Amino acid sequence: MTSLDNARKKQIRDLLQSLGLTRPKNYALYDTALTHSSYTHENKLASVENYERLEYLGDAVLKLSISEILFMQFPDYREGELTKIRAVVVSDARLAIIAKTIALGDCIVFGASEARSGGKNKSSNLACAFEALLGALFLDGKLDQVRTLLPQLFESLIAEVDASKTKSNYKAVLQELTQADEGVLPYYKTVKETGPSHNRTFKIEVAIHGEVMGIGSGKSKKEAQQLAAKMALMSLDALDDEEQTAF
């Protein structure tokens, strides 16, 4: 990692200060967390990392922290209910909203082409950088501060998701998990209809990025879609064991 100039250090300090966090111990961690892969690839900087590895770590930090928040906030909720709320809360669409509230896009370094295409406003970029930032905070010894920060950032979102019917709707949960991926949404297709008109059975498959992720059958298209969405969520490891055995 190359040495950082004073302007970049100040930008990192200001970001953390705006979040109520202490000064960085290791500026390079945050610079990496806020460097998009387009910058390193476009400039052929093999010695400069981007946020991809820190994103992996931050994803684990995020899920642990949100799990703790939900566990403490909803003592009467069963595992399945908590899992579905978490799946929506940590989706790229919702993380991008959080990232925008803290102006994270202004701190990310992009390659010229990605910057011109509006990279700092893309939901996928914002969600990934937010998770990478959490990874940097963890490695910089600020986990306790993260556990204080995240309840503040996610409080209204968690309340909104809990109050909605989304958490009880497999189809809605699946859409929440995929809608931030550059506008890609689950695509449902009826592949088979059997039985007389008064007693039809529908077989429906759901695809994401053109790949079939789930198939469901039911006496109505709505029921078949819900079952297909449930299978897709199982494929994405977004349901716990209890949810996989119940409908």
Side-chain angles (χ1 to χ4, degrees):
M1 175 66 67
T2 57
S3 60
L4 305 182
D5 60 30
N6 290 331
R8 181 61 166 167
K9 288 183 178 180
K10 182 179 185 303
Q11 185 181 49
I12 293 169
R13 281 199 307 273
D14 289 347
L15 173 63
L16 267 61
Q17 184 178 17
S18 71
L19 297 174
L21 305 172
T22 57
R23 291 168 65 96
K25 300 174 185 177
N26 185 343
Y27 282 92
L29 281 172
Y30 300 96
D31 184 51
T32 297
L34 299 171
T35 297
H36 189 263
S37 57
S38 63
Y39 178 80
T40 54
H41 296 161
E42 190 171 298
N43 293 280
K44 297 180 173 59
L45 299 174
S47 62
V48 178
E49 294 185 69
N50 56 57
Y51 62 45
E52 292 174 352
R53 279 173 52 82
L54 282 172
E55 176 195 351
Y56 162 80
L57 180 60
D59 175 70
V61 173
L62 176 67
K63 287 181 178 176
L64 173 62
S65 300
I66 296 299
S67 296
E68 180 183 27
I69 293 169
L70 297 178
F71 184 84
M72 300 302 294
Q73 187 169 335
F74 303 111
D76 298 326
Y77 282 16
R78 299 176 65 181
E79 180 185 1
E81 294 176 288
L82 297 174
T83 298
K84 283 189 284 187
I85 295 176
R86 186 184 65 189
V88 176
V89 169
V90 303
S91 66
D92 279 4
R94 302 309 180 114
L95 295 184
I97 293 173
I98 298 295
K100 287 178 180 177
T101 65
I102 63 175
L104 191 63
D106 294 335
C107 300
I108 306 173
V109 177
F110 295 99
S113 60
E114 183 68 14
R116 284 194 300 270
S117 68
K120 74 174 187 177
N121 295 314
K122 293 181 181 178
S123 294
S124 56
N125 291 341
L126 290 169
C128 291
F130 182 78
E131 290 181 332
L133 175 63
L134 295 181
L137 289 167
F138 173 78
L139 292 179
D140 203 35
K142 301 184 189 302
L143 181 58
D144 286 343
Q145 294 180 49
V146 169
R147 293 173 67 192
T148 299
L149 171 66
L150 291 186
Q152 300 170 14
L153 290 179
F154 284 86
E155 179 181 11
S156 60
L157 173 57
I158 289 173
E160 174 192 334
V161 173
D162 179 53
S164 75
K165 295 181 179 179
T166 298
K167 68 179 189 297
S168 301
N169 185 327
Y170 294 111
K171 187 177 176 182
V173 172
L174 182 62
Q175 179 168 318
E176 288 283 357
L177 288 175
T178 60
Q179 68 179 359
D181 190 8
E182 305 305 322
V184 175
L185 294 173
Y187 175 72
Y188 294 87
K189 178 182 178 181
T190 302
V191 293
K192 190 175 183 180
E193 295 183 29
T194 56
S197 58
H198 65 280
N199 188 26
R200 304 288 282 174
T201 296
F202 299 90
K203 183 177 182 180
I204 291 177
E205 62 183 26
V206 60
I208 301 171
H209 288 294
E211 179 183 356
V212 176
M213 301 294 292
I215 300 175
S217 296
K219 291 299 183 180
S220 69
K221 289 185 177 181
K222 181 178 179 180
E223 180 185 3
Q225 288 175 345
Q226 285 287 344
L227 288 169
K230 179 183 178 182
M231 182 180 291
L233 289 169
M234 291 168 61
S235 299
L236 295 170
D237 196 27
L239 295 181
D240 59 27
D241 292 340
E242 174 189 327
E243 284 293 298
Q244 290 184 27
T245 57
F247 182 72

